[in-house]
Amino acid sequence: QLTMSLNSSTLLNEEKSQGPKRTSECLESLELQTPSSFQDNPLQQLQLASQEVLEKAKKSGRSKCPQCSSSRMFYCYTCFVPVETVPTKEIPTVKLPLKIDIIKHPNETDGKSTAVHAKLLAPDDVTIYKYPCIPEYKEKRHEIALVFPGPNSVSVKDIAFHLQKYTKKGVCDKDDDCCREPLLKQAKIEPKQEEENLNECISNNKGEGTRLKKIIFIDSTWNQTNKIITDERLQGLLQIELKTRKTCFWRHQKGKPDTYLSTIEAVYYFLVDYHQEILKENYKGQYDNLLFFFSFMYTLIKNAKCCAGKE
């Protein structure tokens, strides 16, 4: 999925319609509330590092970015670093099983984007690009996939099978007909025997399941995605869709299915599925800290709305 995002400094501004007195009362009551106050919090079961550092930063208010000196809450969304009141050593670091590229729409508001969470929490494995400045992926498309819903998208468990087709065919030259159509469209006209051969090849080589080396996400509102998804540099990439997860994002776009996730949710849920379906390992919370900021903000906003009588 994509993201809408989040400006930490305006987390509670949506409640200002209740008046300054009501807002003050809400903020005071928030000090007494914890995530366990909400039995319906779907993020409660996450195995997270202590969020005490975020609680302290919330109480002290906005702070300076150590790089650009801008006033921010929790982190700087332009420099991708925590602010002065949030020591880097107190922020968890997550090691990912593959590299992640996030392509951000130029009109996506920096302060609203959850993509920065991924960069803050997995700095060695995540790169954020601002469109149209993105890499050329064509020569590596046998080891890269794009998370984006569509008629040709496949589930995470089918990644190995479809990437194997790319490897078998080899990477096309620019003038080859196969580069002009998405992979899955080609797959529909392949003879049954070829699919049987591919299945046999995959079953005989356990290493093929981990061939995926990089996954791409688009960070944008849904109405802005067309320009990026139709870019020729992304054509022919295997597309993955996360169909079984529901968003908790507080800025979910009206009229869109609740399976359309924010960027950080999409990254997290993809990795959980990848860990179980492709790596074939039991999931024990290895990537839960990717939602370190997201879960804290979710609770903060939910508490504020509840106090204001909106829920």
Side-chain angles (χ1 to χ4, degrees):
Q1 152 45 6
L2 318 180
T3 198
M4 314 203 227
S5 316
L6 156 71
N7 185 340
S8 305
S9 64
T10 60
L11 286 178
L12 302 178
N13 287 351
E14 296 173 3
E15 315 309 326
K16 285 186 177 179
S17 60
Q18 299 293 324
K21 182 178 180 181
R22 181 59 182 272
T23 300
S24 176
E25 293 172 352
C26 284
L27 288 172
E28 290 176 2
S29 69
L30 284 177
E31 302 300 330
L32 304 176
Q33 296 181 13
T34 65
S36 61
S37 304
F38 296 94
Q39 298 302 315
D40 59 342
N41 183 349
L43 306 177
Q44 263 187 321
Q45 304 306 314
L46 295 174
Q47 299 180 43
L48 299 173
S50 172
Q51 294 176 320
E52 183 179 357
V53 63
L54 300 182
E55 288 287 356
K56 291 180 179 178
K58 182 188 72 175
K59 292 178 181 178
S60 61
R62 295 164 70 91
S63 180
K64 284 186 178 182
C65 167
Q67 292 188 14
C68 69
S69 297
S70 297
S71 177
R72 301 281 191 255
M73 179 69 79
F74 304 130
Y75 56 80
C76 180
Y77 44 75
T78 52
C79 300
F80 308 141
V81 295
V83 294
E84 292 178 347
T85 55
V86 182
T88 302
K89 64 181 181 180
E90 295 188 40
I91 299 299
T93 300
V94 184
K95 181 61 181 175
L96 308 184
L98 38 66
K99 299 299 182 182
I100 289 178
D101 282 359
I102 299 176
I103 302 174
K104 184 177 178 296
H105 193 283
N107 294 335
E108 177 70 4
T109 304
D110 289 340
K112 292 182 176 181
S113 174
T114 62
V116 64
H117 297 183
K119 181 62 178 175
L120 282 163
L121 298 163
D124 294 336
D125 298 316
V126 176
T127 304
I128 297 179
Y129 297 94
K130 181 171 286 190
Y131 187 83
C133 299
I134 66 174
E136 293 285 348
Y137 294 110
K138 176 175 169 288
E139 298 301 323
K140 298 282 188 179
R141 68 192 187 104
H142 59 287
E143 58 188 33
I144 297 176
L146 169 67
V147 173
F148 194 85
N152 290 332
S153 61
V154 303
S155 64
V156 173
K157 66 182 179 63
D158 293 326
I159 289 176
F161 174 76
H162 291 287
L163 284 183
Q164 178 67 25
K165 293 181 181 180
Y166 276 113
T167 304
K168 184 179 177 65
K169 287 176 175 295
V171 179
C172 309
D173 291 327
K174 195 168 187 179
D175 295 332
D176 288 348
D177 289 340
C178 60
C179 286
R180 297 171 187 166
E181 290 185 323
L183 170 67
L184 299 186
K185 186 177 291 186
Q186 302 164 34
K188 292 178 181 178
I189 60 174
E190 290 176 348
K192 183 177 181 181
Q193 183 60 46
E194 183 168 356
E195 289 200 15
E196 292 176 354
N197 292 341
L198 286 170
N199 281 324
E200 182 179 357
C201 180
I202 293 172
S203 63
N204 289 336
N205 190 342
K206 295 181 180 180
E208 294 301 325
T210 58
R211 182 174 296 277
L212 184 67
K213 294 183 179 179
K214 178 176 288 186
I215 189 76
I216 304 168
F217 296 84
I218 297 176
D219 184 49
S220 168
T221 60
W222 286 99
N223 293 333
Q224 295 175 338
T225 59
N226 188 61
K227 186 173 183 179
I228 296 179
I229 197 62
T230 57
D231 188 288
E232 62 178 9
R233 290 168 290 184
L234 299 181
Q235 301 311 300
L237 291 176
L238 180 65
Q239 285 185 212
I240 312 299
E241 183 171 3
L242 307 175
K243 300 179 180 180
T244 63
R245 311 290 189 173
K246 293 185 179 181
T247 185
C248 293
F249 194 46
W250 47 92
R251 284 195 174 96
H252 184 68
Q253 296 172 41
K254 293 181 179 179
K256 301 300 181 183
D258 58 5
T259 53
Y260 279 21
L261 310 170
S262 67
T263 300
I264 192 61
E265 287 177 300
V267 170
Y268 169 73
Y269 286 125
F270 170 82
L271 288 170
V272 172
D273 289 349
Y274 178 84
H275 193 86
Q276 296 172 318
E277 299 287 352
I278 303 300
L279 300 184
K280 302 296 184 183
E281 297 178 11
N282 292 329
Y283 183 69
K284 299 179 180 179
Q286 290 92 330
Y287 315 120
D288 283 10
N289 275 320
L290 286 173
L291 298 180
F292 180 75
F293 291 105
F294 184 90
S295 62
F296 183 82
M297 293 165 180
Y298 170 88
T299 300
L300 186 64
I301 292 171
K302 189 172 181 63
N303 287 351
K305 288 184 175 181
C306 183
C307 179
K310 292 190 176 182
E311 290 190 1

